[in-house]
Amino acid sequence: MRIKKAHVENFRSIKRIDIDFENLMIFIGQNNHGKTNVLLALNFFFDSASKLKDEDFFAYREAGDNKLLVEITFDNLTDEDKTTFKKYLLTGDLLKVQKIAKLDGEEITQEYHGYFEIPDEPWLNPDNAGDFANREKLASIDSKYDIMSYFPLSGRITKAQVEEFQQRYKQEHKDTLSFKIELESGPFLGQKNVAAGILGNFYLIPAVKDISDETKIQATTNFGRLLNNVIKEMSEQNEEFQKIKEDLNKLMGSFNKDMEKGDEGRPPELVALEQGLANELKNWDISLDIQITPPEIEKLFQLGTDVYINDGVRTSVETKGHGLQRSLIFALVKVWSKTLNEMRLKDIAKKEEQRKKGRFPSESVFFAIEEPELFLHPQAQRQMLDSLKQLSEIPKHQILVCTHSSFFVDMNLYKSICIISKDSPQDGTKPFQCTQDLFEGPDKVEKKRKFNMAYWFNPDRSELFFSKKVALVEGPTEKTIFPLLATRLGIMNHEISIIDCGGKFNLKLYMEVLNAFKMRYIVIHDIDPITVDSSDPKYEGQKNVYNENEKIKSVLNTAYGQTETFDPDFEEIGGISRSVGETKGKPVAALERFENDDTEIPSGIKEVVKLIFS
């Protein structure tokens, strides 16, 4: 199963948010706006043994509101998931579970509760199953609904039989029944504590992690899990390992005194030590022998196991670069995930026992990776993104990435992008997503193609998603000059991104994206008036460019954006030499015009620059 939706309240910087999920989620935004807290909220949900502190509760919550909760709606449930959570199956084969923490003085309690559908008919309500566990009550409603056919012809009817009947009847008649969704008052699955892994395995890989901690042989580290699993298999299947274990036990056993043979065959040094100690204690009238307990060979691996990497020089992993160390951590998590699934498949006996109980731990795997770009050069970042995409396409896998890198923003995956923002601590962290289809209309294929062309030829345009405000411009001239002029005016602000859209006809495409994500923006473009009459061969081309002005205006959403224009164009207003532009290029011509601090900035351009960086 996979996460479809998440609802979080009162967790750290989060007051209240709702997020829609894709198989690959890319959380982006500025520093200290709450991206990590989204991942930590999910980690809190999946970790049944998590411990909270007072500071984990939203600081600006309303007086008396001392509840923190995370609700997850799952889809893509497997047959085993449907069996395990059959009581909680919602229309559309969804599962919705809440984990709530309550702060009472200094005590914090945590509980899991599930949502279930209640039909209008009271005899289909699971809470009423015990009330209908007799033939008379069932017979009283049988004539209308023909339900006695679900029960044995004779004998006592149990509550368990009624619950099984309710599930079957609801499934078979779901199209004709009316339901309402309610949160159960009792514990999820009827258990006070939710078993680890029952809702899937969630792995949080923080931005900063010491590789020496991760490669320790402990039950809590992925390397420790992997190695312990290998040792377990060696103990059960590897004859050489079993012989070593047997020889070690035999060797260590030979050190101990045999009650029948005495000290025969024992090391004389050990016998001498025992005799020396016994002589010193002869006044106590006792005998003494030293008993050697053979060590568990499995524990020896914990005493001296290191990971060495040969990248031309074979040294311990701790001495390698941070990028390689972080890649190893990620590799350990991936390999443990695969191993875990293989273990479940091989453990037939355990699976059969689970089948009898009707309860299977979910085989879903969730990777939450904070800043996967850390210590990776740009090409390695692209490679990492491709690896994460492929991993997210594996059934039962879901990848959640928190990043500051524009290399991890792929507009082909725009529904996977979630911008995390926080205007004020009081309002808390807010998510901004585009869940609808972009580029709608009869020409949507062409619009998407044009956008992808503009995007791929200049990947740094993805930085717009990390900006406080975006300025969309037609080309490289404005992108080059506006920061220069802002610096001269003393208003330069690096939180504002100027995006070269690759031409006037691409402006609308970027505006649609910014509208969808509710981001602040300003669009600057030329009027490009028609300068020839209708008989001129250039007329249709100029008319087409001029008509684009109205199309740009029609896409503008004034709740987030504004437009400013140059009439007739930027070069004319700025006094930029067209001949220099033709020979050296427009950006160079513009730089030559304004690079001297003594050069006066035309008022029309100065006002536009102030609007951009305000």
Side-chain angles (χ1 to χ4, degrees), residues 64-318:
D65 183 5
N66 290 323
K67 291 189 295 186
L68 173 161
L69 67 86
V70 180
E71 282 181 357
I72 305 291
T73 302
F74 297 93
D75 62 2
N76 285 286
L77 274 65
T78 64
D79 290 339
E80 287 83 2
D81 294 331
K82 293 174 186 177
T83 299
T84 301
F85 308 113
K86 60 184 178 182
K87 174 183 175 181
Y88 304 97
L89 278 185
L90 306 179
T91 301
D93 288 337
L94 302 177
L95 170 68
K96 187 175 182 180
V97 182
Q98 176 190 103
K99 185 177 183 183
I100 185 169
K102 299 176 183 177
L103 178 62
D104 185 6
E106 295 183 358
E107 184 181 4
I108 299 175
T109 58
Q110 301 180 24
E111 302 169 349
Y112 284 89
H113 302 282
Y115 284 84
F116 58 93
E117 291 180 334
I118 300 179
D120 293 339
E121 290 78 4
W123 44 274
L124 284 174
N125 187 334
D127 290 341
N128 299 335
D131 298 336
F132 289 91
N134 68 73
R135 290 187 178 276
E136 289 184 5
K137 281 204 172 184
L138 291 172
S140 67
I141 55 177
D142 179 61
S143 58
K144 182 178 179 181
Y145 296 97
D146 187 30
I147 62 176
M148 293 307 294
S149 60
Y150 288 83
F151 296 92
L153 296 176
S154 60
R156 177 175 170 269
I157 294 177
T158 66
K159 179 182 177 182
Q161 288 175 318
V162 175
E163 290 175 337
E164 183 180 349
F165 148 71
Q166 289 174 331
Q167 292 293 334
R168 283 185 56 197
Y169 194 93
K170 286 188 289 187
Q171 187 66 25
E172 293 172 6
H173 298 83
K174 61 184 177 182
D175 295 333
T176 58
L177 293 171
S178 298
F179 296 91
K180 58 182 178 181
I181 298 177
E182 286 193 6
L183 180 68
E184 67 181 341
S185 56
F188 183 60
L189 292 172
Q191 299 178 351
K192 185 175 182 180
N193 296 315
V194 172
I198 194 73
L199 292 166
N201 292 279
F202 188 88
Y203 297 103
L204 176 61
I205 305 175
V208 180
K209 192 171 182 69
D210 193 331
I211 188 68
S212 62
D213 290 336
E214 188 59 28
T215 53
K216 288 178 180 176
I217 314 303
Q218 296 176 347
T220 55
T221 68
N222 291 304
F223 184 59
R225 291 165 173 164
L226 286 165
L227 192 57
N228 286 329
N229 182 63
V230 169
I231 295 168
K232 179 175 179 291
E233 289 195 1
M234 288 167 60
S235 298
E236 295 172 353
Q237 301 175 22
N238 189 302
E239 293 181 1
E240 185 176 352
F241 183 90
Q242 292 170 358
K243 186 177 184 304
I244 293 173
K245 188 174 181 179
E246 183 181 331
D247 290 344
L248 179 62
N249 289 338
K250 185 177 179 180
L251 173 64
M252 301 305 291
S254 68
F255 293 162
N256 298 325
K257 180 179 289 187
D258 188 288
M259 300 308 294
E260 295 180 0
K261 298 180 180 179
D263 292 327
E264 182 182 339
R266 298 181 70 207
E269 296 84 357
L270 191 59
V271 173
L273 175 60
E274 290 175 346
Q275 291 175 348
L277 291 171
N279 288 335
E280 294 295 329
L281 298 170
K282 62 183 177 182
N283 293 334
W284 291 84
D285 192 25
I286 62 171
S287 62
L288 180 147
D289 64 88
I290 297 173
Q291 189 78 17
I292 307 294
T293 301
E296 295 181 33
I297 191 171
E298 292 83 355
K299 296 291 177 76
L300 297 179
F301 286 84
Q302 296 183 8
L303 302 177
T305 301
D306 292 308
V307 177
Y308 281 79
I309 289 180
N310 189 340
D311 56 356
V313 179
R314 183 181 180 275
T315 59
S316 172
V317 66
E318 287 90 346

Side-chain angles (χ1 to χ4, degrees), residues 448-487:
K448 186 175 182 181
R449 184 188 68 80
K450 287 178 65 177
F451 183 85
N452 283 339
M453 283 180 62
Y455 171 76
W456 285 116
F457 275 103
N458 195 345
D460 69 356
R461 290 177 174 127
S462 298
E463 77 171 65
L464 69 88
F465 288 105
F466 300 87
S467 305
K468 191 172 183 179
K469 179 182 175 182
V470 179
L472 300 178
V473 298
E474 292 186 42
T477 304
E478 297 91 330
K479 179 178 173 63
T480 303
I481 291 301
F482 287 157
L484 171 66
L485 298 181
T487 302

Side-chain angles (χ1 to χ4, degrees), residues 56 67 71 92 171 184 206 391 413 416 423 427 447 454 521:
D56 290 316
K67 291 189 295 186
E71 282 181 357
Q171 187 66 25
E184 67 181 341
L391 195 58
L413 303 170
S416 294
D423 290 334
D427 292 333
K447 288 164 73 176
Y521 66 90

Side-chain angles (χ1 to χ4, degrees), residues 434-445:
C434 176
T435 55
Q436 76 272 22
D437 290 334
L438 281 174
F439 313 131
E440 284 300 282
D443 58 343
K444 67 178 182 180
V445 174

Side-chain angles (χ1 to χ4, degrees), residues 28-30 409 411 417-421 431-434 461-472 495-497 499 510-523 556-562:
I28 61 178
Q30 297 181 349
V409 180
M411 273 308 299
I417 298 170
C418 181
I419 301 173
I420 300 297
S421 181
F432 295 91
Q433 298 178 268
C434 176
R461 290 177 174 127
S462 298
E463 77 171 65
L464 69 88
F465 288 105
F466 300 87
S467 305
K468 191 172 183 179
K469 179 182 175 182
V470 179
L472 300 178
E495 292 185 317
I496 295 171
S497 291
I499 304 299
Y510 284 88
M511 292 169 68
E512 290 184 25
V513 172
L514 294 167
N515 288 337
F517 284 95
K518 301 179 181 178
M519 296 184 65
R520 288 180 61 208
Y521 66 90
I522 180 171
V523 183
L556 178 69
N557 186 326
T558 55
Y560 317 117
Q562 65 183 107

